[in-house]
Amino acid sequence: MTTKELTIQIKKKNSFLCIGLDVDLNKIPQHLLKLEDPIFEFNKAIIDATHHLCVAYKPNIAFYEAYGIKGWQALEKTIKYINKNHPEIFTIADAKRGDIGNTSTMYAKAFFADLEFDSITIAPYMGKDSVEPFLAFKNKHTILLALTSNQGAFDFQTKQVEGKELYKQVLETSKTYTNSENLMYVVGATKAEYFTEIRKIIPNSFLLVPGVGAQGGNLQDVCKYGMSENVGLLINSSRGIIYASNNKDFAEAAANNAKDLQQEMETILNK
């Protein structure tokens, strides 16, 4: 999927909502545990209830790997279900990979060629040759961790290196990579005051923004400082939507919470 196609969906749905599919068997409704594949059945119900309200889904890969082969099979079924039934929706493998070149190539094949995700999150610490193998795939997107929403982000990301914060150096250097037009970036919503500086470096790139809702990020602030001419934002909400209820009405409750966010986004887009 191209960013142009993604932007069309944003305008069509009046939404730039990304829903995180982070399935924890300890949190999903108990009646689903009796089914053969509770992870997939949970995801399917969430997708059926919310696909018209969002433009992206983001499975966090750790939540599938933790359940071994059954978890991986549920992930595969989930992505195939989205691609078959809602091909207009942007899919993000939240895998946070990052390794030497030939290993990165294999990771890229796994998520882009085999599972057919549209994008993947990448840790940039190992530099150019660990990122460019992902960028080599046509119409696929690499989402670099730039400035994250966790407390430990201050350990390295905001440290001054030769008079400039490290996250800014990551942004500037990444623009020199081959096929850098396929880059997107993770910027945490709890760092809203940083968006102005980030937009000076990457004015038009898409930003994947976690941290709205459960982690305390403010949607209005993120949009005020982070929105670009083509919107350029994917606002992720995971727990606040998918765990809105742990009863049999979980999908309906998820849709209600997703609708609340979508309507807030629609108001912002129509200002």
Side-chain angles (χ1 to χ4, degrees):
M1 180 181 290
T2 65
T3 52
K4 184 177 180 181
E5 290 170 326
L6 176 57
T7 303
I8 289 170
Q9 283 302 310
I10 288 171
K11 292 178 179 177
K12 185 176 181 181
K13 292 181 175 178
N14 279 310
S15 173
F16 42 99
L17 175 62
C18 171
I19 297 177
L21 300 174
D22 305 351
V23 186
D24 183 341
L25 290 180
N26 294 315
K27 293 181 179 179
I28 71 173
Q30 291 295 300
H31 72 278
L32 294 176
L33 298 178
K34 300 173 185 176
L35 302 176
E36 183 180 347
D37 191 342
I39 296 174
F40 172 68
E41 295 298 339
F42 178 80
N43 282 343
K44 180 179 179 295
I46 295 291
I47 292 162
D48 288 347
T50 63
H51 64 87
H52 60 296
L53 301 168
C54 67
V55 296
Y57 286 112
K58 181 180 72 65
N60 185 323
I61 305 307
F63 285 80
Y64 299 85
E65 292 177 327
Y67 297 108
I69 187 65
K70 287 186 176 181
W72 199 259
Q73 288 169 341
L75 174 67
E76 184 177 36
K77 286 164 69 175
T78 297
I79 192 65
K80 283 185 175 179
Y81 186 80
I82 296 169
N83 287 341
K84 179 182 178 181
N85 295 282
H86 309 290
E88 78 285 356
I89 288 183
F90 189 71
T91 55
I92 302 167
D94 191 2
K96 299 181 180 71
R97 298 299 196 247
D99 210 323
I100 59 172
N102 58 350
T103 308
S104 283
T105 296
M106 291 303 179
Y107 279 138
K109 285 183 177 179
F111 289 100
F112 290 157
D114 182 33
L115 290 173
E116 297 186 324
F117 275 93
D118 292 313
S119 64
I120 184 172
T121 56
I122 297 297
Y125 193 77
M126 292 182 70
K128 177 179 180 177
D129 56 336
S130 72
V131 177
E132 287 188 338
F134 295 94
L135 293 171
F137 283 74
K138 187 177 181 181
N139 291 336
K140 301 290 186 178
H141 302 275
T142 301
I143 310 177
L144 283 190
L145 300 175
L147 188 61
T148 55
S149 56
N150 61 306
Q151 188 60 39
F154 297 103
D155 288 352
F156 303 113
Q157 296 169 27
T158 58
K159 295 295 185 193
Q160 294 272 333
V161 181
E162 296 181 352
K164 186 177 293 183
E165 294 98 327
L166 182 58
Y167 80 89
K168 290 183 180 178
Q169 296 201 15
V170 168
L171 294 173
E172 290 175 355
T173 301
S174 69
K175 291 166 65 176
T176 69
Y177 294 168
T178 302
N179 298 324
S180 62
E181 66 274 9
N182 292 334
L183 282 171
M184 297 179 176
Y185 300 87
V186 175
V187 180
T190 54
K191 307 286 193 296
E193 66 273 20
Y194 291 90
F195 278 87
T196 301
E197 291 298 305
I198 288 168
R199 280 303 187 199
K200 289 177 183 177
I201 303 170
I202 46 167
N204 299 310
S205 299
F206 263 89
L207 307 179
L208 172 63
V209 184
V212 167
Q215 294 181 49
N218 183 284
L219 179 61
Q220 298 288 338
D221 286 346
V222 169
C223 293
K224 180 179 178 180
Y225 300 111
M227 191 171 279
S228 68
E229 288 183 5
N230 64 338
V231 182
L233 295 172
L234 292 172
I235 304 292
N236 182 76
S237 179
S238 301
R239 289 170 287 171
I241 290 176
I242 66 173
Y243 297 131
S245 169
N246 62 358
N247 297 315
K248 290 190 175 182
D249 69 342
F250 72 97
E252 181 183 349
N256 288 337
N257 282 14
K259 181 69 174 175
D260 287 344
L261 263 177
Q262 182 273 322
Q263 287 183 326
E264 193 175 350
M265 292 174 178
E266 183 170 355
T267 299
I268 292 168
L269 288 172
N270 291 328
K271 276 184 178 177

